[in-house]
Amino acid sequence: MSNTRVLINEEALQERIATLGREIRSHYGDEPITCIGVLKGSFIFLADLVRVIGGDVRVEFLGVSSYHGGTRSTGVVRITQDLKHPIDGQHCLIVEDIVDTGLTADYLMRLLAVRGPRSLKICSLLDKPGNREIEVPVDFVGFTIPDEFVVGYGLDLNELYRNLPHISVYTP
Ligand code: IMP
């Protein structure tokens, strides 16, 4: 695709995600984990991640819209779909595609913390610390990347490019 340049290829993604799955399982021991995928961006990552975590895993989805077109964050977080089940007493892991300004992750932490989870942590495939506006603890990170707009493997630009099997930098 003309406007994209591969940053992380398929093989590197799968290799890192397998390690991440082992790190996550070893952190929680034998305890069940509720993985909360943040839609839509995390859907491919979540599907690959839960298959390498092993053990007891529940899957929930939270629909969030934080971009309303373009490549810049508006800072406005809108819940478009809530969880289907209560999470009180459960080890919850928010699964994000990317933490950029941190506004979405911070909002989700505050939204879910009051529902009484036994623990609440964040796993993000990508971390763009160079663009952080609010400090947020990202407990499990796949890759730390420079402050560039990326697409693919679930991440979009105006709803396109999610189906690329790799992570690419988008240059307009
Ligand atoms: P934040 O609230 O700025 O941390 O951004 C969170 C959301 O913005 C992510 O879950 C993505 O959906 C979107 N986002 C941030 N950076 C990028 C990017 O480089 N490419 C695609 N989407 C992004």
Side-chain angles (χ1 to χ4, degrees):
M1 235 156 283
S2 58
N3 291 333
T4 61
R5 165 174 60 82
V6 176
L7 181 67
I8 308 169
N9 67 27
E10 286 181 76
E11 198 188 346
L13 280 170
Q14 293 312 321
E15 213 173 282
R16 178 68 191 119
I17 291 167
T19 309
L20 207 49
R22 286 194 292 273
E23 283 173 22
I24 291 170
R25 179 38 78 202
S26 107
H27 173 80
Y28 291 98
D30 292 337
E31 301 280 343
I33 308 167
T34 302
C35 289
I36 302 175
V38 182
L39 294 173
K40 297 178 190 169
S42 78
F43 79 108
I44 296 179
F45 174 44
L46 181 80
D48 283 342
L49 184 69
V50 293
R51 284 181 285 180
V52 291
I53 289 179
D56 287 345
V57 171
R58 295 186 186 90
V59 175
E60 287 282 332
F61 290 105
L62 250 186
V64 163
S65 170
S66 51
Y67 274 100
H68 304 281
T71 60
R72 302 310 305 176
S73 173
T74 59
V76 178
V77 181
R78 199 162 50 93
I79 298 295
T80 57
Q81 181 188 310
D82 205 346
L83 304 178
K84 292 279 186 280
H85 300 98
I87 54 164
D88 54 294
Q90 299 176 14
H91 288 297
C92 294
L93 184 64
I94 297 172
V95 179
E96 273 270 26
D97 53 353
I98 185 165
V99 177
D100 182 21
T101 63
L103 294 167
T104 306
D106 177 69
Y107 178 86
L108 295 180
M109 285 295 275
R110 287 185 285 113
L111 177 85
L112 299 178
V114 295
R115 300 187 186 182
R118 185 158 159 210
S119 68
L120 184 57
K121 292 193 180 292
I122 300 177
C123 172
S124 185
L125 175 67
L126 305 174
D127 187 10
K128 239 186 339 190
N131 203 27
R132 209 64 110 245
E133 287 180 23
I134 191 164
E135 205 175 312
V136 61
V138 189
D139 305 280
F140 302 98
V141 174
F143 300 88
T144 300
I145 62 165
D147 187 11
E148 290 185 285
F149 195 82
V150 289
V151 294
Y153 195 70
L155 290 99
D156 76 310
L157 172 62
N158 296 336
E159 295 301 328
L160 290 178
Y161 305 108
R162 292 193 199 276
N163 58 324
L164 296 181
H166 45 254
I167 298 285
S168 279
V169 173
Y170 179 86
T171 35

